[in-house]
Amino acid sequence: MKFPTTRMRRLRKNFQVRKILQETNLNPEDLIYPLYIKEELTDGQKEHIDTMPGQYRYSLNEALKEAKRLEEIGLSSVLLFGLPAIKDETGSSAYDSEGIIQKAIGRLKEETDLVVITDVCMCQYTSHGHCGIIEDEEILNDETINYLSKIALSHAEAGADIVAPSDMMDGRVEAIRKTLDNNGFYDTMIMSYSAKYASSFYAPFRDAVCSAPSFGDRKTHQMNPANINEAIREVEQDIMEGSDIVMIKPALPYLDVIKEVKDRFKIPTAAYQVSGEYSMLKAGIESGYLTEESIYESLISIKRAGADLIISHFTPKLLEEGTEFKC
Ligand code: PBG
Ligand code: ZN
């Protein structure tokens, strides 16, 4: 490249030129919308999530209404989170065939064509708020994966297309795959939260679904934010155990991890723009320090890094206003 023969600014001359040369595009089908469904809410009710302005906990019927509205404007898939009426030591409402998520899956599959993905974990369902079975303040790995398998199976039985274990226990993908296969659910996919970091950006979510641990933290199972080699090993392990789609979470602070995983494994890769990323941008925009363009820039950057799918709370906004990046 020799100046002045090469003038890079030619490539950015005007909008039309920039558009045809744009390397990355965000499409409606790249987006997955997280839906929070609260068992105790009745018809017509929804609760605003104060730590995530513009997001709600829905009753089952309201969640269905919202899902249908979004499907009409281009939504392809949802990720379901349940807020059960009852919590106990072993999170038994998580695998109840009459549980809130199991009901929601059934209704969504009956009444929409959405791809239904379910979060598989115990923390919203346990009285202590931990992602597993506890003994002497320790999370028991092997005990927990049996429960996770039961939860995943109950979601598959209810009709889920994809189960998404978010617990970070060792061996859970293999355990879930075996359980699904033994019960004939060969076609139920697994999207594992493979490189899930112990991140402070989950704070608004834990408030939204009341899942903050009552003691201790999640650092013995979620990853150290300082590590990437370990993330590669986690992803490799999940692929060997049978993951169909791997996920990196959070997204924006971990673009290097997304890129490395996609480049190395060439497997469908999802990135989770988590609650804190959403609330941070919202707060910036609402205070006037940022503009809404920062939303588009973050999402196109996550896509550029290598994500095929992005779980984002901005999904409704993007579907309403268009996913096109204004270059
Ligand atoms: C629970 C779970 C978490 C999220 C999804 N499933 C967070 C946690 O570990 O407490 C985070 C979602 C978000 O912050 O948007 N295993
Ligand atoms: Zn959990």
Side-chain angles (χ1 to χ4, degrees):
M1 290 214 295
K2 193 164 174 280
F3 181 81
T5 330
T6 302
R7 287 180 183 269
M8 296 304 284
R9 290 187 57 196
R10 279 179 204 135
L11 309 177
R12 307 169 200 142
K13 191 172 147 60
N14 59 35
F15 172 76
Q16 286 74 14
V17 168
R18 288 194 293 275
K19 201 66 209 166
I20 64 166
L21 294 176
Q22 185 170 308
E23 298 173 30
T24 309
N25 289 288
L26 185 68
N27 307 307
E29 62 271 22
D30 303 334
L31 299 167
I32 301 172
Y33 188 46
L35 262 182
Y36 304 108
I37 311 174
K38 184 168 172 175
E39 194 165 18
E40 284 163 307
L41 297 180
T42 52
D43 285 11
Q45 284 188 313
K46 61 176 186 180
E47 281 175 0
H48 187 247
I49 301 170
D50 294 340
T51 51
M52 300 170 71
Q55 300 297 312
Y56 295 86
R57 304 179 194 91
Y58 294 98
S59 69
L60 179 51
N61 276 333
E62 283 301 303
L64 255 115
K65 249 201 246 166
E66 180 64 357
K68 286 178 191 170
R69 179 183 79 84
L70 295 173
E71 187 180 25
E72 273 178 24
I73 55 172
L75 182 68
S76 302
S77 58
V78 285
L79 174 61
L80 305 183
F81 291 94
L83 287 89
I86 297 164
K87 301 187 184 211
D88 60 24
E89 280 282 296
T90 60
S92 56
S93 51
Y95 48 86
D96 180 353
S97 60
E98 291 295 302
I100 182 66
I101 283 306
Q102 289 77 3
K103 282 186 192 156
I105 299 165
R107 295 274 312 271
L108 281 161
K109 288 313 295 177
E110 239 169 65
E111 298 173 36
T112 74
D113 291 319
L114 294 168
V115 176
V116 173
I117 311 172
T118 57
D119 184 87
V120 173
C121 201
M122 299 177 67
C123 46
Q124 287 117 263
Y125 300 88
T126 50
S127 41
H128 43 71
H130 278 289
C131 306
I133 300 298
I134 300 279
E135 199 178 272
D136 298 330
E137 304 218 335
E138 237 185 78
I139 305 170
L140 304 178
N141 191 87
D142 300 12
E143 191 75 10
T144 299
I145 64 179
N146 292 329
Y147 279 89
L148 294 165
S149 302
K150 268 178 28 167
I151 299 169
L153 178 60
S154 77
H155 292 178
E157 284 169 344
D161 298 293
I162 305 179
V163 292
S166 69
D167 52 286
M168 289 295 279
M169 295 300 128
D170 288 317
R172 90 278 207 211
V173 173
E174 184 177 62
I176 290 171
R177 186 71 268 160
K178 276 194 181 142
T179 303
L180 292 176
D181 287 354
N182 287 340
N183 288 276
F185 293 100
Y186 306 106
D187 291 334
T188 308
M189 282 175 273
I190 299 177
M191 173 170 83
S192 57
Y193 290 64
S194 304
K196 179 176 180 181
Y197 286 88
S199 171
S200 55
F201 287 96
Y202 307 150
F205 169 89
R206 290 183 190 167
D207 188 65
V209 304
C210 312
S211 69
S214 58
F215 61 89
D217 53 39
R218 306 217 202 287
K219 291 182 181 173
T220 69
H221 46 110
Q222 297 180 352
M223 283 190 48
N224 178 349
N227 295 354
I228 183 166
N229 291 335
E230 196 180 330
I232 303 308
R233 294 184 67 199
E234 283 283 4
V235 170
E236 193 168 36
Q237 185 72 38
D238 278 6
I239 295 171
M240 285 190 314
E241 291 183 24
S243 265
D244 300 289
I245 304 169
V246 297
M247 191 207 295
I248 289 82
K249 178 186 177 188
L252 205 59
Y254 298 91
L255 294 182
D256 55 331
V257 182
I258 298 172
K259 173 151 176 59
E260 185 67 27
V261 164
K262 186 65 194 178
D263 284 352
R264 235 178 234 250
F265 301 106
K266 315 284 181 207
I267 184 170
T269 303
Y272 203 137
Q273 184 185 48
V274 300
S275 55
E277 296 178 70
Y278 170 83
S279 299
M280 182 168 65
L281 288 167
K282 277 298 261 195
I285 293 160
E286 281 177 10
S287 67
Y289 293 155
L290 294 175
T291 64
E292 289 198 338
E293 286 175 346
S294 56
I295 299 171
Y296 289 84
E297 189 177 334
S298 333
L299 285 159
I300 204 80
S301 297
I302 295 166
K303 186 92 196 278
R304 189 198 65 238
D308 303 293
L309 294 165
I310 305 174
I311 298 142
S312 174
H313 296 90
F314 287 115
T315 298
K317 180 180 179 56
L318 292 157
L319 296 176
E320 283 157 14
E321 293 170 20
T323 52
E324 192 184 328
F325 181 68
K326 317 282 184 304
C327 55

